[in-house]
Amino acid sequence: MTQDLDSRLEGYRTELTGYCYRMLGSAFEAEDAVQDTMVRAWKGLEKFEGRSSLRSWLYRIATNVCLDMLSAGSRRARPMDLSAPTPVAQAQLSARPELTWLEPVPDGRVLPSVADPADRTVERESIRLAFVAALQHLPPRQRAVLILREVLAWKAAEVAELLGTSVASVNSALQRARATLAEQSPTASDRSDPLDEEQRRLLERYVAAFEGYDMKALTALLHEDATMSMPPYDLWLRGHDDIVGWMLGVGEGCRGSRLLPTVANGSPAFAQYHPSRSGEGYEPWALIVLEVRDGKVGGMDFFLDTKRWFPLFGLPARLSAEAEG
């Protein structure tokens, strides 16, 4: 019985982590929330009378855990949520605490296997950085309602039961949440599951331009209004001139880097390694998450805390000198 219950609970871990990630905006906090949910489920098993499904019961617990964690009113953000873009001539690096930032997450930690391609598309779109950042503008209960109704396709009556409220209250919260989300207008990205031939060529050209530090080739792949951010720094840049100005100025340390492909937040991503100071091999520098829309790169988010991100994504601690070329 114990092993059977363990297996059943574990079967929900990935989708619960995805739910908690959308609620909290942090990969690590989401995993903590799910672990807390599992512990509470074990301790409260005798109170579970089977009046709802095990899945519904676990979501109720997970929702309460997330609401408790969000009670302080804090929300995760991207640099573009906090300030206007900075001209490169005025750019300064100013770090903010880790808990400020929306965090990237590996797809495999939050996306369960879904047979229906349409459902898979919704799941992936709903973990995009821009979408999760927009969710952070919602009050916690509205956030839960929108995720349960719009992403997970729960019925209003099911959400009302989970939250201990009325269907009318759920519908009202959903309407307000939709209005707020529309004001944030999160950028839609090109579908990339799987990558088509044009997208593969785009990413190959991106790697070649970045590794060759060819700014002309790189900007040819970027939208005119492309953005670049570098958490934990609150600086962000917009447009070819400022991005290139940064890359050829303060960002010159990226020259000679090597990129290793991965995926994050339903988007193409790369682990960036720059030449080691010892002259031997390459050391972690950033996790780069790309926003691809209309066949070009619209955003580059460089997450610099590689001691947190590389182990989470299962990335090598360094690359050998043989990675050259």
Side-chain angles (χ1 to χ4, degrees), residues 225-273:
D225 62 348
T227 61
M228 176 178 172
S229 71
M230 296 160 278
Y233 299 112
D234 56 14
L235 170 72
W236 67 283
L237 307 164
R238 171 179 281 157
H240 292 181
D241 290 345
D242 284 334
I243 290 174
V244 170
W246 177 268
M247 298 286 283
L248 295 179
V250 178
E252 182 73 18
C254 290
R255 187 183 292 274
S257 292
R258 293 293 171 261
L259 301 185
L260 190 67
T262 184
V263 288
N265 293 82
S267 304
F270 294 95
Q272 178 191 354
Y273 297 81

Side-chain angles (χ1 to χ4, degrees), residues 4-81:
D4 179 60
L5 182 60
D6 275 340
S7 177
R8 291 178 66 194
L9 291 178
E10 283 300 315
Y12 293 106
R13 183 176 290 275
T14 301
E15 65 173 282
L16 285 171
T17 304
Y19 174 61
C20 293
Y21 173 72
R22 296 178 183 96
M23 286 289 291
L24 302 170
S26 164
F28 294 101
E29 287 185 359
E31 293 195 347
D32 288 345
V34 172
Q35 191 57 37
D36 192 1
T37 296
M38 297 299 185
V39 171
R40 293 190 191 190
W42 260 108
K43 291 182 177 178
L45 187 60
E46 294 181 358
K47 299 178 183 178
F48 176 56
E49 300 173 353
R51 289 178 294 185
S52 62
S53 68
L54 177 61
R55 181 173 184 257
S56 297
W57 185 56
L58 289 172
Y59 269 90
R60 181 180 296 113
I61 298 172
T63 300
N64 289 332
V65 170
C66 289
L67 292 178
D68 287 345
M69 294 175 72
L70 292 167
S71 61
S74 61
R75 66 178 177 89
R76 299 276 177 161
R78 302 172 76 191
M80 44 281 291
D81 298 321

Side-chain angles (χ1 to χ4, degrees), residues 62 116 130 133 162 248 269 273 278 323:
D116 189 319
L162 182 147
L248 295 179
Y273 297 81
S278 68

Side-chain angles (χ1 to χ4, degrees), residues 108-125:
R109 297 288 185 108
V110 294
L111 293 179
S113 298
V114 178
D116 189 319
D119 290 342
R120 187 164 63 245
T121 297
V122 171
E123 290 271 353
R124 290 175 66 87
E125 285 296 326

Side-chain angles (χ1 to χ4, degrees), residues 124-132 189-192 265-267:
R124 290 175 66 87
E125 285 296 326
S126 67
I127 62 165
R128 303 278 190 189
L129 288 170
F131 185 81
V132 179
S189 298
D190 293 350
R191 181 176 175 178
S192 57
N265 293 82
S267 304

Side-chain angles (χ1 to χ4, degrees), residues 52-265:
S52 62
S53 68
L54 177 61
R55 181 173 184 257
S56 297
W57 185 56
L58 289 172
Y59 269 90
R60 181 180 296 113
I61 298 172
T63 300
N64 289 332
V65 170
C66 289
L67 292 178
D68 287 345
M69 294 175 72
L70 292 167
S71 61
S74 61
R75 66 178 177 89
R76 299 276 177 161
R78 302 172 76 191
M80 44 281 291
D81 298 321
L82 303 178
S83 67
T86 303
V88 70
Q90 302 170 20
Q92 294 182 339
L93 291 177
S94 176
R96 297 203 187 192
E98 171 272 321
L99 54 79
T100 303
W101 303 115
L102 179 68
E103 297 181 348
V105 70
D107 285 15
R109 297 288 185 108
V110 294
L111 293 179
S113 298
V114 178
D116 189 319
D119 290 342
R120 187 164 63 245
T121 297
V122 171
E123 290 271 353
R124 290 175 66 87
E125 285 296 326
S126 67
I127 62 165
R128 303 278 190 189
L129 288 170
F131 185 81
V132 179
L135 287 176
Q136 306 304 300
H137 290 269
L138 301 176
R141 288 177 69 86
Q142 283 187 29
R143 201 179 305 175
V145 168
L146 187 131
I147 296 168
L148 291 166
R149 292 281 284 119
E150 302 279 85
V151 177
L152 302 178
W154 285 42
K155 297 177 180 178
E158 295 172 326
V159 178
E161 182 180 358
L162 182 147
L163 293 174
T165 188
S166 66
V167 170
S169 178
V170 166
N171 288 335
S172 176
L174 180 59
Q175 186 176 15
R176 295 195 302 273
R178 284 171 172 167
T180 301
L181 211 62
E183 292 175 0
Q184 301 305 317
S185 59
T187 304
S189 298
D190 293 350
R191 181 176 175 178
S192 57
D193 179 31
L195 293 170
D196 60 29
E197 185 60 32
E198 183 179 349
Q199 290 169 330
R200 282 194 290 270
R201 287 198 299 267
L202 173 67
L203 297 181
E204 288 170 0
R205 291 168 63 198
Y206 180 87
V207 170
F210 196 100
E211 291 188 345
Y213 228 63
D214 183 339
M215 293 298 110
K216 182 177 180 180
L218 183 64
T219 54
L221 308 176
L222 305 180
H223 283 284
E224 288 287 345
D225 62 348
T227 61
M228 176 178 172
S229 71
M230 296 160 278
Y233 299 112
D234 56 14
L235 170 72
W236 67 283
L237 307 164
R238 171 179 281 157
H240 292 181
D241 290 345
D242 284 334
I243 290 174
V244 170
W246 177 268
M247 298 286 283
L248 295 179
V250 178
E252 182 73 18
C254 290
R255 187 183 292 274
S257 292
R258 293 293 171 261
L259 301 185
L260 190 67
T262 184
V263 288
N265 293 82

